[in-house]
């Protein structure tokens, strides 16, 4: 899974696995800003993914990571 994601992010390292997704470290190819990308498993419930993404995008706390973008891409 190391490579370019969505023509915008360069994935360089796997951070961990969970029951619903794999987390990867990535860098914006233009700004070099670091990000974490959650790659949800194909068989995970789509409604639960939407709920989790909406929750992550609504968070605003200095000790939590906030989602800044969501989308669908295929490797």
């Amino acid at each position: 899974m190391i490579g370019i994601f969505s023509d915008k992010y360069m994935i360089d390292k796997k951070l961990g696995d969970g029951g619903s997704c794999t987390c990867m470290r990535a860098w914006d190819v233009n700004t070099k800003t670091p990000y974490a990308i959650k790659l949800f498993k194909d068989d995970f419930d789509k409604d639960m993914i939407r709920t989790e993404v909406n929750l992550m995008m609504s968070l605003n706390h200095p000790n939590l990571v906030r989602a800044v973008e969501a989308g669908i891409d295929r490797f």
Side-chain angles (χ1 to χ4, degrees):
M1 266 194 234
I2 307 303
I4 298 291
F5 178 75
S6 257
D7 297 328
K8 184 175 179 180
Y9 302 100
M10 174 61 128
I11 295 174
D12 69 348
K13 180 180 178 182
K14 180 176 167 180
L15 298 174
D17 282 312
S20 64
C21 64
T22 298
C23 290
M24 308 292 284
R25 182 176 71 181
W27 303 87
D28 184 301
V29 295
N30 295 314
T31 66
K32 309 300 185 229
T33 304
Y35 289 95
I37 293 180
K38 277 183 110 165
L39 301 172
F40 287 94
K41 296 177 181 175
D42 285 337
D43 60 348
F44 198 69
D45 183 279
K46 305 302 184 237
D47 289 330
M48 289 192 71
I49 292 172
R50 269 190 221 89
T51 300
E52 182 171 336
V53 168
N54 288 334
L55 175 63
M56 290 184 332
M57 292 185 93
S58 71
L59 297 175
N60 186 12
H61 188 278
N63 295 332
L64 298 174
V65 175
R66 183 178 56 90
V68 294
E69 185 175 358
I72 298 172
D73 200 352
R74 301 277 183 226
F75 279 95

